[in-house]
Amino acid sequence: MRALRVLAGPAALQHLREHGLRPADVGVIPAAAGGPKGLILNPLDRFIFGHWLPKSRQVVHLLGASIGSWRMAAATCPDADAALARMAADYIAQDYPHSPGKPPTAAVVSEIFGAKLSEHFQSLAPQMLTHPRLRLHVFTSRGRHLLRREGKLRTPLGYGGAFVSNLLGRRGLGHWLERVVFSDPRDPLPLPLNDFRTRELALTEDNLCPAVLASCSIPFWLKAVQDIPGAPAGAYWDGGITDYHLHLPYRRMLNSQAPLVLYPHFQPSLVPGWLDKMLPRRHAATAALDNVIVLAPRPEWIAGLPGAKLPDREDFKALGDEVATRMQRWRAAVAQSQQLADEFAQWVDGGPSPEIEPLR
């Protein structure tokens, strides 16, 4: 494989050596926060959900934060391949009215982006929530104390407090933010989420779009979503703040029939929370990931993308009003990432087994 890396925890590595990878082996698929980086996984997502996973019959839990929640919501649509393709096209085509030389306001971004999510999912919500096999779980972050409501002073002060508390330990983050997971009520998320304050609520037709919007609402870039239907009052922000890469105790979700977590990801490590990005000591794999298989692009392949990097949020700043250039680069990156899907397809369709690296 020249584009795709395969990394696995100890239990997953043993399974792959003994049985290979079959769609029936997969019980959980997480999807990380990370903004435009997630675009690089679009062809891989389309193959997995549109062609490979439907060959099996087991229930599969889909966990998403931020762009990952949009990806996983699209995967539950009746035509997953088409929904995921549309998601990438619309994400790339984002362009918000703004004054020359200035970024668009958070209110403008939230209004337009929220309307786009409703356009994608509102009419399909009944089918998404009755999917015969897939169970969607949307991760959000609900503010507490100063962050209970959004404000010009209280929001930066609150996130300053969250930053300092998180430095002392992830549990301290729970003083400022509560993890709220909106889960398919047929199969609530079977995870012991006790690392800090957590609440699980039913995902419904009324709150599906607001929950996904909240999960994607990056502080200061978008407005918090206030008072989601069926949820406690308050301000709901990006699920990646509490669960950037969803480093969770997955073994409790699995069984002997579907013992694996398949994790398409844009990097080889799973960072627990957004505020942990600058804390490398928290990036290492733990026993929680023993059953996880990570599919990630190789660094040398990334070097061949436009700009020699993954698409990222900084492109909005770096390219400014050169919107057409940004879109062109992102479309080129997604087109090149078809190689990730092709290499995975060759492997699971009976091709040579790749060298599998241990998760570290």
Side-chain angles (χ1 to χ4, degrees):
M1 291 184 175
R2 296 184 178 182
L4 186 68
R5 297 175 73 181
V6 180
L7 306 99
L13 182 58
Q14 180 179 352
H15 180 97
L16 292 175
R17 287 172 174 167
E18 295 177 358
H19 307 289
L21 180 60
R22 302 162 296 194
D25 296 332
V26 177
V28 179
I29 299 180
K37 296 184 184 73
L39 290 170
I40 214 70
L41 303 170
N42 187 256
L44 186 58
D45 285 344
R46 292 176 62 187
F47 174 75
I48 289 172
F49 290 107
H51 305 278
W52 183 68
L53 198 60
K55 296 177 182 178
S56 60
R57 302 178 64 182
Q58 78 283 6
V59 167
V60 182
H61 292 273
L62 310 184
L63 285 60
S66 200
I67 190 176
S69 68
W70 191 357
R71 289 169 52 208
M72 295 300 96
T76 67
C77 291
D79 186 342
D81 191 345
L84 286 160
R86 182 185 178 195
M87 174 241 164
D90 284 354
Y91 195 101
I92 291 170
Q94 291 179 86
D95 184 20
Y96 304 101
H98 60 281
S99 300
K102 294 184 178 181
T105 66
V108 166
V109 176
S110 288
E111 180 181 357
I112 295 175
F113 184 61
K116 180 59 65 176
L117 288 177
S118 294
E119 181 184 308
H120 278 241
F121 299 130
Q122 192 62 56
S123 65
L124 295 177
Q127 294 160 278
M128 296 165 66
L129 293 174
T130 56
H131 194 288
R133 298 179 50 242
L134 303 182
R135 305 291 186 263
L136 179 62
H137 308 278
V138 177
F139 281 62
T140 69
S141 303
R142 175 176 175 256
R144 302 184 68 231
H145 304 302
L146 275 176
L147 293 176
R148 189 174 63 87
R149 291 292 176 186
E150 193 170 20
K152 290 183 178 180
L153 288 178
R154 61 192 302 155
T155 299
L157 286 173
Y159 276 108
F163 175 82
V164 173
S165 297
N166 187 70
L167 286 176
L168 301 176
R170 256 180 68 77
R171 189 172 292 274
L173 185 62
H175 178 76
W176 301 95
L177 293 157
E178 177 182 49
R179 172 198 285 131
V180 179
V181 186
F182 291 85
S183 284
D184 189 313
R186 296 172 296 173
D187 284 297
L189 191 65
L191 275 177
L193 298 178
N194 53 16
D195 48 347
F196 56 88
R197 294 179 64 95
T198 300
R199 190 189 301 259
E200 189 171 2
L201 303 170
L203 190 61
T204 67
E205 293 179 28
D206 289 336
N207 65 27
L208 188 150
C209 287
V212 175
L213 175 59
S215 187
C216 295
S217 292
I218 306 160
F220 310 109
W221 285 70
L222 287 88
K223 301 287 287 184
V225 177
Q226 303 286 343
D227 306 334
I228 294 176
Y236 290 77
W237 272 285
D238 197 310
I241 304 168
T242 54
D243 293 281
Y244 190 46
H245 294 163
L246 299 157
H247 188 140
L248 302 170
Y250 290 108
R251 287 182 296 177
R252 296 285 293 272
M253 291 188 71
L254 302 167
N255 56 55
S256 58
Q257 284 72 45
L260 299 178
V261 177
L262 184 65
Y263 200 145
H265 197 18
F266 46 79
Q267 66 181 52
S269 61
L270 275 61
V271 180
W274 187 82
L275 296 173
D276 298 322
K277 289 196 296 182
M278 64 290 293
L279 303 173
R281 66 183 181 275
R282 298 188 189 173
H283 298 190
T286 67
L289 307 181
D290 282 358
N291 294 73
V292 174
I293 301 167
V294 170
L295 308 175
R298 295 183 176 277
E300 56 272 25
W301 179 83
I302 292 174
L305 294 175
K309 67 177 186 60
L310 299 175
D312 61 43
R313 199 173 298 111
E314 292 302 311
D315 292 340
F316 284 110
K317 293 181 180 179
L319 295 172
D321 292 331
E322 298 178 57
V323 176
T325 300
R326 173 185 59 77
M327 293 182 184
Q328 181 182 23
R329 290 183 182 179
W330 286 9
R331 290 190 183 105
V334 171
Q336 287 179 236
S337 67
Q338 180 63 43
Q339 187 175 356
L340 300 173
D342 292 343
E343 291 184 357
F344 178 76
Q346 290 166 11
W347 171 33
V348 297
D349 286 346
S353 295
E355 178 184 354
I356 301 169
E357 306 172 50
L359 273 176
R360 300 187 187 279

